[in-house]
């Protein structure tokens, strides 16, 4: 990165996306099941369309875009709605996931607006470092300290998440952001649970229900419409 604008963008993405977004989700998932987390984080496209409308001249909100986004969200609710139970005592973690979606939307819009001349790797690497340092500080401030996994399977999961789920994924993400709209890319949050359910069906023998099929159909229809 070069200049005040690009370094400010690195700081915003590092703090909003890699520190706040993931920090809030990982904290919240200690108390919430993954289905409810997926539904709450599927508000990302809804938050993004409004944020982009106010900040990006070329990504205006239209009735069709809003309708498709809302339909995709309803599809995610249908995917998990049959086994999700709302617990008022967990309002804090639920709010944390929604706030995580807001942080993700802000970082995406900021990257689209200010990162056009910055190579994806030049944004990804320093922003991840900023996020990592912020999370270390937060952990120390909370009294959790720093702990390392003790078994090989956990290390393997972390390595996979670090390389495939973070480095590779966000290099692709920031590359696509140069030519795609932030609204289009925000639909990652509604595709992810649908893909997860499909993988569970293929590799783990998990059952498909009519509600699951309906939810996946609504997701695809909503994304196509938007």
């Amino acid at each position: 990165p070069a200049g005040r604008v690009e370094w400010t963008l690195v700081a915003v993405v590092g703090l909003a996306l890699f520190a706040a977004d993931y920090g809030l989700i990982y904290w919240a998932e200690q108390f919430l099941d993954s289905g409810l987390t997926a539904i709450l984080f599927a508000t990302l496209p809804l938050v993004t369309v409004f944020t982009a409308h106010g900040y990006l001249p070329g990504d205006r909100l239209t009735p069709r875009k809003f309708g498709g986004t809302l339909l995709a969200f309803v599809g995610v609710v249908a995917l998990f709605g049959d086994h999700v139970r709302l617990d008022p005592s967990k309002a804090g973690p639920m709010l944390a996931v929604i706030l995580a979606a807001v942080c993700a939307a802000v970082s995406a819009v900021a990257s689209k607006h200010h990162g056009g001349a910055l190579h994806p790797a030049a944004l990804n690497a320093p922003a991840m470092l900023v996020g990592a340092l912020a999370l270390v500080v937060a952990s120390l401030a909370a009294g959790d300290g720093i702990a390392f996994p003790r078994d090989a399977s956990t290390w393997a999961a972390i390595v996979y998440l670090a390389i495939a789920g973070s480095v590779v994924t966000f290099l692709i993400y920031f590359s696509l952001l140069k030519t795609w709209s932030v609204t289009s890319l925000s639909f990652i949050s509604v595709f992810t649970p649908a893909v997860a359910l499909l993988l569970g069906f293929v590799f783990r023998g998990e059952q498909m229900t009519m509600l699951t099929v309906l939810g996946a159909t609504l997701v695809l229809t909503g994304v196509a419409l938007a």
Side-chain angles (χ1 to χ4, degrees):
R4 181 179 59 84
V5 173
E6 290 185 351
W7 277 110
T8 301
L9 175 62
V10 166
V12 169
V13 173
L15 295 174
L17 181 62
F18 295 120
D21 175 25
Y22 280 99
L24 288 168
I25 286 178
Y26 289 158
W27 173 79
E29 282 203 301
Q30 297 175 100
F31 315 100
L32 305 177
D33 62 64
S34 58
L36 179 56
T37 304
I39 290 174
L40 294 171
F41 197 72
T43 57
L44 175 59
L46 290 170
V47 176
T48 301
V49 294
F50 286 104
T51 307
H53 178 78
Y55 201 65
L56 298 175
D59 202 348
R60 295 299 185 187
L61 179 62
T62 64
R64 175 174 173 172
K65 184 184 293 185
F66 177 71
T69 303
L70 192 60
L71 189 63
F73 173 74
V74 172
V76 176
V77 175
L79 285 174
F80 297 100
D82 60 338
H83 59 265
V84 166
R85 299 292 179 267
L86 293 179
D87 184 352
S89 67
K90 297 179 180 179
M94 288 190 287
L95 183 61
V97 178
I98 295 175
L99 183 57
V102 173
C103 292
V106 168
S107 66
V109 170
S111 300
K112 180 69 174 180
H113 194 271
H114 299 292
L118 190 59
H119 190 280
L123 173 59
N124 201 28
M128 283 188 170
L129 181 60
V130 169
L133 292 174
L135 288 171
V136 167
V137 171
S139 180
L140 294 174
D144 290 338
I146 299 174
F148 293 94
R150 297 181 178 180
D151 57 274
S153 60
T154 307
W155 270 114
I158 289 176
V159 170
Y160 172 80
L161 289 170
I163 297 174
S166 298
V167 176
V168 174
T169 296
F170 280 102
L171 280 175
I172 295 172
Y173 177 82
F174 289 129
S175 297
L176 289 174
L177 201 55
K178 292 183 178 298
T179 54
W180 286 29
S181 70
V182 290
T183 301
S184 298
L185 283 177
S186 71
F187 285 117
I188 292 170
S189 65
V190 297
F191 274 124
T192 300
V195 172
L197 286 174
L198 178 62
L199 291 175
F201 172 74
V202 173
F203 293 105
R204 295 177 57 85
E206 297 174 358
Q207 295 300 311
M208 285 280 192
T209 65
M210 288 301 297
L211 203 56
T212 303
V213 175
L214 173 63
T217 302
L218 289 174
V219 168
L220 293 172
T221 304
V223 171
L225 180 64

